[in-house]
Amino acid sequence: MYAMLIGGEELAVQATFEVINPATEEVCGQAPDCSRAELELAIAAAAEALPMWRVDMSKRRQVLLDCADALRAHAEDLAEVLTMEQGKPRARALNEIMGSAAWLSYTATLDLPMEVIKDDETSLVEVHRKPIGIVGAITPWNYPVMMAVWKFAPAILAGNTVVLKSSPYTPLATLAMARLLNGIIPPGVVNFLSGGDDLGKWIVAHPQVRKVTFTGSTAAGKHVAAALAPDLKRMTLELGGNDPAIVFSSVNVQETAQKLFTASFENCGQVCVAIKRVYVHESILQPLVDALVQLAEAAVVGDGSDSTTTMGPLNNQAQLERVMSLAEAAKAAGGSVLTGGARLNGKGYFYPPTLVTGLDDSNPLVAEEQFGPILPIVAFTDEGEVVARVNNSSFGLAASVWSADLEQARRVAEALETGTVWINQHL
């Protein structure tokens, strides 16, 4: 039985909702469905914990280190729950848990130094960073444990308290983590909730929540930003990406293909900064496509609990339908599906690694974010052309440039209107 954690107490409620195993389409657990009254309890607990929690940074560091140790000690158990509800292969789920522990340890090393802006005979000006207050954290379903840690660890290190809502698709591993960390994190400092869209709206609109950190779709992020505006709440939004890879003719085709494939299909393509579209110089288009097809056909798609699986299912029915719709639109536009291109038979939201060529930049598969295992590959002829095409997008989360000519790679990277750019690597 999974319970919410409010004020250091596990709260089992009568209202629950089903969580589906994406590999079997069967119910794998029941999660509490938080009511507005129960949210008020969580807000009250966070407010009560705030005055004492904000005082001692050395204590806050130690709490994060102790949380990291707890995750490492129970990583196998948490990974089992994570695979069951999210679908990713067990080894990748274990990596997520261990990575979360690493982030907790790393965050504990960060500092909030006082900065001297001016110190002369006329004046002394200092900057001191203070806690904001209660932080509302809303996490997605692709990396539910990692994203929870990314949100609550820096928030509580800075002296804030947190009310955290997990995705209704993947609440179980987060609630299991909450039970594990209860007693390490003092009561009320992090309150772990589960529920549907209404719960997220209530958190965002609550007058005592002073900042919201949200990871999810661009459409949902716009609604969050609009809801925060009346109170001028601070926000951190990590939304969609349509992340390009630009591959020049000087690369080693086989080595680059392997790296491109991994960065495209990691977590079944359900990564905000995964490669979503590949632009390949026309002179190496065919050999690179051939190498990617070989890798796609060698992938083992199946239940993440099977040790032979290299790629699990999509997490939910809606995301599967999104990928299927994009595939059909690509076919209708004359795109060539080189491998994959259809849902696998049987139970589970399984879709094989799919490669598509022959599309122009206006096709939805190229122009939009697919967030799944279907990758468009398009040709280009020269540097200026491809930079213009890549920048002709409303997305600008991440990108990568692949070239043996590092001067060229850097020049192109600097020309891209993108938040993060990698050279000869991605992710």
Side-chain angles (χ1 to χ4, degrees):
M1 182 64 183
Y2 294 89
M4 298 188 295
L5 185 67
I6 296 177
E9 299 290 335
E10 290 191 0
L11 183 65
V13 300
Q14 289 188 341
T16 63
F17 59 91
E18 296 178 341
V19 180
I20 304 298
N21 182 332
T24 64
E25 298 184 56
E26 297 176 354
V27 176
C28 63
Q30 298 280 340
D33 193 0
C34 185
S35 68
R36 190 185 287 268
E38 288 147 0
L39 171 61
E40 291 297 337
L41 293 176
I43 296 291
E48 183 178 355
L50 186 61
M52 291 299 296
W53 179 248
R54 63 186 296 164
V55 172
D56 186 353
M57 190 163 186
S58 62
K59 178 180 180 180
R60 303 199 297 264
R61 292 187 196 281
Q62 190 58 53
V63 165
L64 292 179
L65 293 172
D66 291 346
C67 287
D69 289 342
L71 289 194
R72 293 186 185 101
H74 297 272
E76 292 285 353
D77 293 338
L78 288 174
E80 182 177 356
V81 178
L82 180 55
T83 291
M84 177 180 68
E85 67 173 349
Q86 202 282 331
K88 64 185 64 182
R90 180 67 177 275
R92 305 309 297 167
L94 186 60
N95 284 350
E96 179 174 341
I97 304 303
M98 296 302 288
S100 299
W103 277 105
L104 284 160
S105 296
Y106 167 73
T107 303
T109 70
L110 300 178
D111 201 3
L112 296 172
M114 181 272 289
E115 294 183 35
V116 177
I117 302 300
K118 183 180 181 181
D119 185 4
D120 60 22
E121 66 279 1
T122 64
S123 60
L124 171 63
V125 181
E126 299 175 348
V127 174
H128 296 257
R129 291 178 170 83
K130 301 292 186 179
I132 293 172
I134 299 175
V135 175
I138 302 174
T139 63
W141 45 258
N142 58 338
Y143 288 89
V145 175
M146 179 79 81
M147 288 297 193
V149 167
W150 279 4
K151 292 183 184 304
F152 81 70
I156 67 174
L157 177 73
N160 304 286
T161 56
V162 177
V163 173
L164 186 142
K165 173 197 173 297
S166 53
S167 166
Y169 291 114
T170 54
L172 303 183
T174 309
L175 294 177
M177 175 174 66
R179 174 173 291 172
L180 179 65
L181 300 184
N182 190 19
I184 300 174
I185 301 176
V189 171
V190 183
N191 303 274
F192 293 87
L193 310 181
S194 57
D197 290 344
D198 283 347
L199 176 58
K201 294 174 183 176
W202 298 336
I203 292 172
V204 167
H206 200 287
Q208 287 179 265
V209 172
R210 297 312 308 150
K211 171 167 181 170
V212 169
T213 169
F214 170 85
T215 301
S217 71
T218 301
K222 290 178 179 179
H223 289 299
V224 170
L228 294 174
D231 289 337
L232 296 177
K233 289 186 176 75
R234 300 189 190 193
M235 70 181 86
T236 298
L237 305 179
E238 187 202 354
L239 308 177
N242 190 17
D243 314 277
I246 301 173
V247 186
F248 288 96
S249 59
S250 58
V251 301
N252 180 304
V253 169
Q254 292 297 325
E255 290 181 5
T256 302
Q258 179 64 70
K259 293 176 181 179
L260 293 171
F261 184 84
T262 299
S264 301
F265 295 101
E266 173 69 21
N267 201 31
C268 199
Q270 299 166 127
V271 183
C272 58
V273 290
I275 293 173
K276 310 285 175 41
R277 47 189 173 134
V278 180
Y279 292 82
V280 185
H281 191 271
E282 59 185 3
S283 64
I284 61 165
L285 177 63
Q286 195 57 53
L288 185 66
V289 164
D290 291 343
L292 288 170
V293 167
Q294 186 175 16
L295 292 166
E297 292 179 345
V300 179
V301 180
D303 192 324
S305 63
D306 186 332
S307 62
T308 65
T309 293
T310 61
M311 193 178 89
L314 287 148
N315 174 256
N316 54 76
Q317 178 72 34
Q319 200 59 35
L320 173 64
E321 291 175 357
R322 163 74 174 162
V323 170
M324 293 169 62
S325 174
L326 288 171
E328 292 309 308
K331 294 173 187 176
S336 298
V337 177
L338 307 180
T339 185
R343 178 183 183 175
L344 299 184
N345 293 329
K347 288 286 189 179
Y349 307 136
F350 294 107
Y351 201 92
T354 298
L355 302 170
V356 183
T357 59
L359 299 174
D360 63 37
D361 291 354
S362 66
N363 187 272
L365 182 57
V366 183
E368 301 174 11
E369 180 182 33
Q370 68 275 58
F371 215 67
I374 178 169
L375 182 69
I377 306 167
V378 292
F380 72 90
T381 56
D382 65 68
E383 181 180 311
E385 168 219 341
V386 74
V387 169
R389 290 169 66 186
V390 164
N391 284 343
N392 185 28
S393 171
S394 61
F395 295 94
L397 190 58
S400 55
V401 182
W402 304 76
S403 175
D405 181 347
L406 293 184
E407 182 178 341
Q408 176 190 50
R410 187 175 185 88
R411 181 173 64 246
V412 172
E414 290 179 349
L416 297 180
E417 297 169 359
T418 304
T420 296
V421 186
W422 291 282
I423 292 176
N424 294 329
Q425 58 178 309
H426 199 108
L427 299 184

